[in-house]
Each structure stands twice: as structure tokens, then as C-alpha cells.
Amino acid sequence: TEYETTSSIEKGELQKQLDSARFELENSESKFAAAEDKLRESEAELDALQLKNEELESSLSGSAESLRLELEESRAELETARTNFEAELTAAYEAQKSAESNVEELNEQIKSFESEIDDARVQLTEYETTSSIEKGELQKQLDSARFELENSESK
């Protein structure tokens, strides 16, 4: 019976160990189930984050494309404006050169007219001088003719 007693003690000990192992197993299974739930939640959050990331990438891609198109349009407008400005600048430069040429030509004409005016003044002065001399001579002839007429009438 000593064997039975030892066997009974060992059986009790084994039962305790078995109960303890079952408790630990249940506890571990509970922890495992909680960890699986947490894993599912994390996977769902990760899926949601990935979806949001894809949406953001799509939105950014669309925004980047829109910005790229706006940039290309702005560059084209800038190039057109630069071309127009260069054309206007060239036209203004040509107009300035033409105006300068016209001013030079007009200055030459003014000098020519001034020279002609000076010549006309000299001619006028000469004419006035000659006219004054001729007037004096004509006056003398007139006086002489009157004198002769008076003398011929008195005879």
C-alpha cells in the first residue's frame, strides 16, 4: 500500500501539474485569441492606411500633373510674351532709327532753308540798295524833266 500511497501522491501531483498546465494552456489560448484580434485590428488599420496612402498618392499625382500642365502653360505664355516684347523692342528700335534719320534730314533741310533765306536777304539788301540808287536816279530824271517842261512852257 505504500505503493498506492506514493502512487496516489504522485497522481495528485500530476493532477495539479495537469490542472496548472490546463490553466496555462487556457490562459495562453486566451492571450493568443487576444493577440489574433489585435493582429486583425492592426491589419484592418494597415489596410485603411494603405488605402488612404493610395488615395493621397493618386491625389498628389493628379495635383502634380495639374501643376506640370500649369507650368508648361506658363512657360508657353512667358515665351510668347518674350517673343512679343522682342518684336516690340525691335520695332521701337527701328522707329527710333527712322526718327533719328528723319531728324537729320530735317536738320539738313533747315540748314538749306536758312542758307536760302540768307541768300534771299542778301539779294533783298542788294535790291533795296540798287532800288534806292535807281529811285534816286529816277527822281533826278523826273526833276530834270519837270524843269525842262517848266522851262519849255515859260518860253
Side-chain angles (χ1 to χ4, degrees):
T1 63
E2 201 179 293
Y3 176 73
E4 288 179 357
T5 306
T6 306
S7 177
S8 175
I9 293 175
E10 284 181 359
K11 188 177 179 187
E13 293 264 332
L14 286 174
Q15 188 62 44
K16 282 183 186 177
Q17 287 178 359
L18 181 60
D19 290 343
S20 176
R22 280 187 182 147
F23 176 76
E24 286 182 24
L25 178 62
E26 287 174 5
N27 192 22
S28 294
E29 285 177 347
S30 174
K31 286 181 181 179
F32 181 77
E36 279 184 327
D37 289 344
K38 183 74 174 171
L39 176 63
R40 280 188 212 99
E41 288 175 18
S42 295
E43 286 175 342
E45 288 177 12
L46 181 61
D47 288 344
L49 287 173
Q50 284 177 336
L51 181 61
K52 190 171 184 175
N53 186 40
E54 288 172 2
E55 289 172 356
L56 285 174
E57 284 179 356
S58 175
S59 174
L60 287 176
S61 175
S63 295
E65 180 64 18
S66 175
L67 289 173
R68 186 187 65 74
L69 291 173
E70 285 182 39
L71 179 60
E72 286 179 10
E73 184 177 320
S74 294
R75 283 182 178 155
E77 288 173 2
L78 181 60
E79 181 62 24
T80 299
R82 185 185 66 75
T83 301
N84 290 342
F85 176 75
E86 286 177 353
E88 289 174 10
L89 186 61
T90 299
Y93 177 76
E94 293 299 325
Q96 179 186 2
K97 287 295 183 186
S98 176
E100 288 172 355
S101 175
N102 289 344
V103 166
E104 287 177 18
E105 186 177 315
L106 289 173
N107 282 334
E108 290 298 319
Q109 287 179 0
I110 289 170
K111 286 179 185 176
S112 175
F113 290 148
E114 287 173 346
S115 177
E116 289 177 17
I117 289 172
D118 288 343
D119 290 347
R121 282 186 181 145
V122 167
Q123 288 176 356
L124 181 60
T125 303
E126 287 175 359
Y127 175 74
E128 286 174 347
T129 304
T130 304
S131 175
S132 181
I133 292 170
E134 287 177 356
K135 184 179 176 184
E137 287 180 12
L138 287 174
Q139 188 65 41
K140 283 180 187 177
Q141 289 175 4
L142 181 59
D143 290 343
S144 176
R146 278 188 190 151
F147 179 72
E148 287 179 20
L149 179 60
E150 288 173 7
N151 279 339
S152 74
E153 285 178 356
S154 40
K155 290 190 182 170

